[in-house]
Amino acid sequence: MDVGVIGLGRMGRGMAQSLVRAGHRVRVWNRTPSAADGLDGVTLVPTAAEAFAGDAAITMLSDDAALRSVIVEGGLLDSGTRPGLHLSMSTISVALAQELAAIHGRAGVPYIAAPVFGRPDVAQNGALNIVVAGDAAVIEVARPLLDAMGAKTWPFGTEPHRANAVKLAGNFMLVAAIEAMGEAAAFAEGHGVAGADLLDLLTNTLFASPVYKGYGASIAAGRYEPPGFGLRLGLKDIGLALSASAEVGVPMPFAGVLRDNLLDAVSHGDGDKDLAALALVSARRSGR
Amino acid sequence: MDVGVIGLGRMGRGMAQSLVRAGHRVRVWNRTPSAADGLDGVTLVPTAAEAFAGDAAITMLSDDAALRSVIVEGGLLDSGTRPGLHLSMSTISVALAQELAAIHGRAGVPYIAAPVFGRPDVAQNGALNIVVAGDAAVIEVARPLLDAMGAKTWPFGTEPHRANAVKLAGNFMLVAAIEAMGEAAAFAEGHGVAGADLLDLLTNTLFASPVYKGYGASIAAGRYEPPGFGLRLGLKDIGLALSASAEVGVPMPFAGVLRDNLLDAVSHGDGDKDLAALALVSARRSGR
Amino acid sequence: MDVGVIGLGRMGRGMAQSLVRAGHRVRVWNRTPSAADGLDGVTLVPTAAEAFAGDAAITMLSDDAALRSVIVEGGLLDSGTRPGLHLSMSTISVALAQELAAIHGRAGVPYIAAPVFGRPDVAQNGALNIVVAGDAAVIEVARPLLDAMGAKTWPFGTEPHRANAVKLAGNFMLVAAIEAMGEAAAFAEGHGVAGADLLDLLTNTLFASPVYKGYGASIAAGRYEPPGFGLRLGLKDIGLALSASAEVGVPMPFAGVLRDNLLDAVSHGDGDKDLAALALVSARRSGR
Amino acid sequence: MDVGVIGLGRMGRGMAQSLVRAGHRVRVWNRTPSAADGLDGVTLVPTAAEAFAGDAAITMLSDDAALRSVIVEGGLLDSGTRPGLHLSMSTISVALAQELAAIHGRAGVPYIAAPVFGRPDVAQNGALNIVVAGDAAVIEVARPLLDAMGAKTWPFGTEPHRANAVKLAGNFMLVAAIEAMGEAAAFAEGHGVAGADLLDLLTNTLFASPVYKGYGASIAAGRYEPPGFGLRLGLKDIGLALSASAEVGVPMPFAGVLRDNLLDAVSHGDGDKDLAALALVSARRSGR
């Protein structure tokens, strides 16, 4: 397919590479063009409008503001060269997801939400888990793209914003897992047990899953740089989860704790570290 | 070896069966003797003192009070027939663990802490993960027993109470995982996504581990009876974790949330259900 | 002075009455004109622009959206008849307060923030506590208006948004006081002590202050309607406090608890009751 | 009356002085006799048993362990010279209060619980607020003592432990008030407002009560030594409140936050400071 990719952060780059590898013709655009350096097999286009065209356009931007700026304020939906469908893959608020579905509907551009789970290296390998929601027929059209980027696609019905809610729920669980490990490690250290030994046991038995193994190893090693998933980005996602939970009247006490501890981390200069650095908060608060 | 097992709850029964299967001579004692009904190949003895004898004695009781009552108040350490070693496998407070180590030391009875991870069926299959701490030479003597009951033994040094701290840390992480799933499911439901669909995705990808799969399936199915791990027992363990964290000055905000939500569950009549019923609290608080 | 009042909720009405009583000439505007019914001595004007004129304009609207809609989207700052100064008295976000200061600066309209503490009856008696921030000379010009509405004016420097931060901090403390009473009352009831008796003791001794006496009496009597300060409004204010705390990296665990319990209350149908109904959450969670 | 006072901490000393001033004959005992230095008009007796005698005995000890050690383990209830009644004024657990009522009943010694609100200087002035529960006739006998020590006595029925529950509820609200001020001050500071200015406004208006004014002034001045009410003692009381709430199934999320922040304070070396130093936690966590 002829596809445009808007947003070449580490995730977007990896996805573009997977698309090229699968034989798609890929145009790319990024606010800072140098982000495309070293991306083989793609065509760098000078305007977002030229990427928002063809059989499909994919957006993979860092937050609500970036996506809103390009799509809504950039007026792409009113431009002449609109894509056959828009695959919206950024991690954004449920509220913006609902708004985007509405304005695409009015503009007559098929719109699917398809946020993903997986780190940049997983994106590069085309092995993401993709959460998809939207009109079933449109999803079928986008299938070759989804298959190129993902190991598996998980359908969540026809309302696009639900995929975004699922993504936020998953990221909430991920940050909660890190916090639980951080508290457990501080507790263990308080009793003379190396946190690394505790996490070695637990992440190889009851909690032997990718999230626990990956972040557990980082905490055990005290290795927080370079960031795979930046702590400040995690704070943003917890903020989105809290907003979306308030909209539907769902108390989330764990999310409240996460917000505070992530703020504590940022206020202590760890915002640019990996999310695993959340564990430093528990250690610091216990006087270590 | 000639081993006595004190405490025949579902865990103790399973462990006794594994010991018999491995060829050990097993005496058993329980406050209510009928708990031994149907246990083949063991010798039911009429007093705890007769079980607290031989090459080794294993205790697997439900809480501090039960263990204290049998060992300390029961005066077993002053009795004539003392065992070659005491393998203390109950989930107890760190404070009691420290006290037990001290009084065994004074009484001259070798003492090892060896709490376990695993449900009753895992105990029956001899596939527990056993956390062990104590004098290395004594652990070596107990090795055949540990090997009979466990798939793997995880050593945590020479101070017995550290194994108990590790056990509490693990149970804390387990309850935290359930709470995270409960909040995430309530959040998803609020946005029109079936909690079961959300958990199906997450427990098969990022969180594909025994704890998440097992409890996630229970939450997804709304299946909380019969209890595998009773909710009231989970509340007890979180209480022990909170006490032990206070002793060493470690804040644990997740544990505080868990305490409150488990109390909420108990106050709503769910104390005898499975720990997975903790998820009902998040649902109820969101008005469902 | 010749003053326009925009927003005739219960607070705005009371303030308009105090202004009339002090001899000022008062024009009023409200989206729903009937809100002015029964207000003696004021002139109802048909457009917001006609109220946003004269020596001074006062805005007292329910939230960010209402204020933004009238002032920013309504284009009042670009209209020909602009006031000598704008006294912005609504409880709004710190972010909007900063934005308003900036756009008034560009438009050349002197801008002061002057949010208030006090219920509608206090507004009607001209006995509010007014938190004021902005250019000192402009505040002096507004002094007769502030004196007409308030028992006391508390200055917080020259940056208007700081007055809004103070207002949010005060409302946070107010909701926290209610939560503390609610938890304490549920605790007491659990031990067979009537919550009313507990609150009678504490609000007449250690906590003998207007907030504790007023809300304490409501909780003691189980009297939550009609609302003096609506619970949903309290939830909005806690949301603003949480947003503003995130902007400056300040963890606020009490505010997180308040958010969740207010959401719980709303999800159980108590959003239109008085803020004191927050105490029902503690009672319900304990199974009463 | 002929009264013995056991426990001469700062509170017990003040109470003894008030009793002397009212004309009672006062025997005193303290584990460390030098605690009686400078106490005029009292008779220092060499054993607790000699103080636990006469018309009435008052106990005012620092915690469960101290009271249990003197009364229960000291075997005072089995001694020959038992008092006409025991006025138990320490801040202790609800569980110990229930146990004491039971064993006094068996021993035939009338027992009243009478914990107090007020700092040492208030005790010295005989102006405490005394929470009393127990048999009405016994309370009447003790009335002259209560009147000598207290400005007012607040009756809470016939079951002694309820007075202890009320005391814990009050101390919980006190610590919660400090936490609320600490978070509000950190929030204000984050927005460029001096915490002292914020607290000056709020503790003179909405929150003009002894607790807010007293602790608010300490926080505003950053004056945490010498301690009026030691932080570590506050942590003990929150622990008692949490235990007592668990016994009756009452979630208390604010108490959970307080526990963690007090632990944070202790782990950062502030355990011996005044309870107001809890505010340092909010400041530190926000990076100040």
Side-chain angles (χ1 to χ4, degrees):
Chain A
M1 295 174 71
D2 180 359
V3 57
V5 174
I6 293 176
L8 295 174
R10 290 190 297 151
M11 292 299 293
R13 275 180 67 98
M15 287 153 52
Q17 286 172 284
S18 292
L19 290 166
V20 167
R21 200 170 51 239
H24 299 288
R25 291 181 302 287
V26 183
R27 285 157 288 113
V28 300
W29 180 84
N30 196 70
R31 188 173 298 277
T32 314
S34 62
D37 289 356
L39 260 187
D40 290 330
V42 304
T43 305
L44 179 66
V45 295
T47 65
E50 285 166 86
F52 200 70
D55 296 328
I58 290 171
T59 47
M60 191 59 173
L61 295 157
S62 59
D63 58 18
D64 275 32
L67 185 59
R68 184 183 291 282
S69 150
V70 170
I71 299 295
V72 184
E73 291 155 18
L76 287 196
L77 288 170
D78 307 321
S79 72
T81 62
R82 301 181 314 179
L85 64 90
H86 177 190
L87 204 51
S88 177
M89 303 186 78
S90 315
T91 297
I92 55 169
S93 71
V94 174
L96 178 57
Q98 291 171 313
E99 182 185 336
L100 286 174
I103 64 178
H104 280 75
R106 286 197 294 273
V109 175
Y111 175 82
I112 316 171
V116 303
F117 288 107
R119 292 192 171 212
D121 57 320
V122 180
Q124 198 166 344
N125 295 336
L128 294 165
N129 278 288
I130 306 181
V131 184
V132 71
D135 184 89
V138 180
I139 292 172
E140 276 323 296
V141 175
R143 181 71 57 187
L145 303 175
L146 296 168
D147 287 347
M149 295 181 286
K152 185 161 179 187
T153 297
W154 302 78
F156 276 87
T158 57
E159 297 200 44
H161 75 271
R162 289 184 180 169
N164 299 93
V166 167
K167 171 62 179 167
L168 294 180
N171 277 17
F172 155 71
M173 277 177 54
L174 187 157
V175 188
I178 297 172
E179 171 68 19
M181 287 191 281
E183 293 188 21
F187 174 88
E189 296 271 356
H191 287 287
V193 173
D197 291 344
L198 175 79
L199 294 176
D200 180 49
L201 159 61
L202 293 171
T203 64
N204 282 298
T205 53
L206 288 70
F207 297 94
S209 75
V211 158
Y212 280 84
K213 280 179 173 291
Y215 290 100
S218 296
I219 296 169
R223 187 186 60 233
Y224 304 119
E225 290 170 298
F229 182 164
L231 193 143
R232 209 182 299 274
L233 219 54
L235 174 57
K236 180 208 73 168
D237 290 354
I238 293 301
L240 296 180
L242 285 166
S243 294
S245 73
E247 284 157 19
V248 293
V250 175
M252 293 184 80
F254 264 22
V257 170
L258 297 178
R259 185 199 92 107
D260 283 332
N261 283 6
L262 290 164
L263 285 175
D264 185 324
V266 169
S267 292
H268 283 84
D270 293 339
D272 295 326
K273 296 201 177 126
D274 188 79
L275 197 45
L278 175 57
L280 294 174
V281 176
S282 288
R284 182 169 53 239
R285 294 196 71 198
S286 63
R288 282 167 191 281
Chain B
M1 294 172 74
D2 179 359
V3 59
V5 175
I6 292 177
L8 295 173
R10 290 191 297 152
M11 292 300 292
R13 275 180 68 96
M15 287 154 49
Q17 286 173 285
S18 294
L19 290 166
V20 168
R21 201 170 47 240
H24 298 288
R25 291 180 304 286
V26 183
R27 283 158 289 112
V28 300
W29 180 83
N30 198 70
R31 188 173 298 276
T32 313
S34 62
D37 289 355
L39 260 187
D40 290 332
V42 304
T43 304
L44 179 65
V45 294
T47 64
E50 286 166 85
F52 200 70
D55 296 330
I58 290 172
T59 47
M60 190 59 172
L61 294 157
S62 58
D63 56 18
D64 274 33
L67 185 58
R68 184 183 290 281
S69 151
V70 170
I71 299 295
V72 185
E73 292 156 17
L76 288 196
L77 287 170
D78 307 320
S79 71
T81 61
R82 301 180 314 180
L85 63 90
H86 177 190
L87 204 52
S88 177
M89 304 185 76
S90 316
T91 298
I92 55 169
S93 70
V94 174
L96 178 56
Q98 290 171 313
E99 181 185 337
L100 286 175
I103 64 178
H104 280 74
R106 288 196 293 272
V109 176
Y111 175 82
I112 317 170
V116 303
F117 288 107
R119 292 193 171 211
D121 58 319
V122 180
Q124 198 166 345
N125 295 335
L128 294 166
N129 278 287
I130 306 182
V131 184
V132 69
D135 184 89
V138 180
I139 292 172
E140 275 324 296
V141 176
R143 180 73 57 191
L145 304 175
L146 296 168
D147 287 347
M149 296 181 285
K152 185 162 180 186
T153 296
W154 302 78
F156 276 88
T158 58
E159 296 201 42
H161 74 270
R162 289 185 180 168
N164 299 92
V166 167
K167 169 64 179 167
L168 294 180
N171 277 16
F172 156 72
M173 278 178 55
L174 187 158
V175 188
I178 297 173
E179 171 68 18
M181 287 191 279
E183 293 189 21
F187 174 88
E189 297 271 354
H191 286 286
V193 173
D197 291 345
L198 174 78
L199 294 176
D200 180 51
L201 158 62
L202 293 171
T203 64
N204 282 298
T205 53
L206 287 71
F207 296 94
S209 76
V211 158
Y212 279 85
K213 282 180 172 290
Y215 289 100
S218 296
I219 296 170
R223 187 185 59 235
Y224 303 119
E225 289 169 300
F229 183 165
L231 193 143
R232 208 182 300 273
L233 220 55
L235 174 56
K236 181 207 72 169
D237 290 354
I238 293 301
L240 295 179
L242 286 165
S243 294
S245 72
E247 284 157 20
V248 293
V250 175
M252 293 185 80
F254 264 22
V257 170
L258 297 178
R259 187 200 91 109
D260 283 332
N261 284 7
L262 289 165
L263 285 175
D264 185 324
V266 169
S267 291
H268 283 83
D270 293 340
D272 295 327
K273 296 199 177 128
D274 189 79
L275 198 45
L278 176 57
L280 295 174
V281 176
S282 288
R284 182 169 53 241
R285 295 196 70 196
S286 65
R288 284 169 189 278
Chain C
M1 294 171 73
D2 180 358
V3 58
V5 175
I6 292 177
L8 295 173
R10 289 190 300 153
M11 292 300 293
R13 275 179 69 96
M15 287 153 50
Q17 286 173 285
S18 293
L19 291 166
V20 167
R21 200 169 50 239
H24 299 289
R25 290 179 305 286
V26 183
R27 283 157 291 111
V28 299
W29 179 84
N30 197 69
R31 187 173 297 275
T32 314
S34 62
D37 289 356
L39 259 188
D40 291 331
V42 304
T43 304
L44 178 65
V45 295
T47 66
E50 286 166 85
F52 201 71
D55 296 329
I58 290 171
T59 47
M60 190 60 173
L61 294 157
S62 58
D63 58 19
D64 274 33
L67 185 59
R68 183 182 291 281
S69 151
V70 170
I71 300 294
V72 184
E73 292 154 19
L76 287 197
L77 288 169
D78 308 320
S79 71
T81 62
R82 301 182 313 181
L85 65 90
H86 177 188
L87 204 52
S88 177
M89 303 184 78
S90 315
T91 297
I92 55 170
S93 70
V94 174
L96 178 56
Q98 290 171 313
E99 181 185 336
L100 286 175
I103 64 178
H104 280 74
R106 289 196 292 273
V109 176
Y111 175 83
I112 316 171
V116 304
F117 288 108
R119 292 192 170 210
D121 57 319
V122 180
Q124 198 165 346
N125 294 335
L128 294 165
N129 278 288
I130 306 180
V131 183
V132 69
D135 184 272
V138 180
I139 292 173
E140 276 322 296
V141 175
R143 180 70 58 188
L145 303 175
L146 296 168
D147 287 348
M149 294 181 286
K152 185 162 179 187
T153 297
W154 300 80
F156 276 86
T158 57
E159 296 200 44
H161 74 270
R162 290 185 178 170
N164 299 92
V166 167
K167 170 63 179 165
L168 294 179
N171 278 16
F172 155 72
M173 279 178 55
L174 187 158
V175 188
I178 297 173
E179 171 68 18
M181 287 192 280
E183 292 189 24
F187 174 88
E189 297 270 356
H191 287 287
V193 173
D197 290 346
L198 175 79
L199 295 176
D200 180 51
L201 158 62
L202 293 171
T203 65
N204 281 297
T205 54
L206 287 71
F207 296 94
S209 75
V211 157
Y212 279 85
K213 281 177 171 292
Y215 289 100
S218 296
I219 296 169
R223 187 185 61 234
Y224 302 120
E225 292 170 296
F229 183 165
L231 193 144
R232 208 181 300 273
L233 219 55
L235 175 57
K236 181 207 72 170
D237 291 355
I238 293 301
L240 295 179
L242 285 165
S243 295
S245 72
E247 284 157 19
V248 293
V250 176
M252 292 183 81
F254 264 22
V257 170
L258 297 178
R259 186 200 92 107
D260 283 332
N261 283 6
L262 290 165
L263 285 174
D264 185 324
V266 169
S267 291
H268 282 84
D270 293 339
D272 295 326
K273 295 199 177 129
D274 189 79
L275 197 46
L278 175 58
L280 294 174
V281 176
S282 288
R284 183 171 51 240
R285 296 196 69 197
S286 65
R288 286 170 186 276
Chain D
M1 294 174 72
D2 179 359
V3 58
V5 175
I6 292 176
L8 296 173
R10 290 190 299 152
M11 291 300 292
R13 275 178 69 96
M15 287 154 50
Q17 287 174 286
S18 292
L19 290 166
V20 167
R21 200 170 50 240
H24 298 289
R25 290 179 305 286
V26 182
R27 282 158 291 113
V28 300
W29 180 82
N30 197 71
R31 189 173 297 275
T32 314
S34 62
D37 289 356
L39 260 188
D40 291 330
V42 304
T43 305
L44 178 66
V45 294
T47 66
E50 285 166 86
F52 200 69
D55 296 329
I58 291 172
T59 47
M60 190 60 173
L61 295 158
S62 59
D63 56 19
D64 275 33
L67 185 58
R68 183 183 292 280
S69 150
V70 170
I71 299 294
V72 184
E73 292 155 19
L76 287 197
L77 288 170
D78 307 320
S79 71
T81 60
R82 302 182 313 180
L85 63 90
H86 177 190
L87 205 52
S88 177
M89 304 186 76
S90 314
T91 297
I92 55 170
S93 71
V94 174
L96 178 56
Q98 290 171 314
E99 181 184 338
L100 286 175
I103 64 178
H104 280 75
R106 287 197 292 273
V109 176
Y111 176 82
I112 318 171
V116 304
F117 289 108
R119 292 194 171 209
D121 57 319
V122 180
Q124 198 166 345
N125 295 333
L128 295 165
N129 278 286
I130 305 181
V131 184
V132 70
D135 184 89
V138 180
I139 293 172
E140 276 322 296
V141 175
R143 181 73 55 190
L145 303 175
L146 296 168
D147 288 348
M149 295 181 285
K152 187 162 178 185
T153 298
W154 302 79
F156 276 87
T158 58
E159 296 200 43
H161 74 269
R162 290 186 178 168
N164 298 94
V166 167
K167 170 61 180 168
L168 294 180
N171 277 17
F172 156 71
M173 279 178 54
L174 188 158
V175 189
I178 297 172
E179 171 69 18
M181 287 191 280
E183 293 188 21
F187 174 89
E189 296 271 355
H191 287 286
V193 173
D197 291 346
L198 175 78
L199 294 176
D200 180 51
L201 158 62
L202 293 170
T203 64
N204 282 298
T205 54
L206 287 72
F207 296 94
S209 76
V211 159
Y212 280 86
K213 280 178 173 292
Y215 289 101
S218 295
I219 297 169
R223 187 185 60 233
Y224 303 119
E225 291 171 298
F229 183 165
L231 193 143
R232 207 181 300 273
L233 219 55
L235 174 57
K236 181 208 70 168
D237 290 355
I238 292 301
L240 295 180
L242 285 165
S243 294
S245 73
E247 284 158 19
V248 293
V250 175
M252 292 184 80
F254 264 23
V257 170
L258 297 178
R259 186 198 92 107
D260 283 332
N261 284 6
L262 290 165
L263 285 175
D264 185 324
V266 169
S267 291
H268 283 83
D270 293 339
D272 295 326
K273 295 198 177 131
D274 189 79
L275 198 45
L278 176 58
L280 294 174
V281 177
S282 288
R284 182 171 52 240
R285 296 195 68 197
S286 65
R288 285 169 187 278

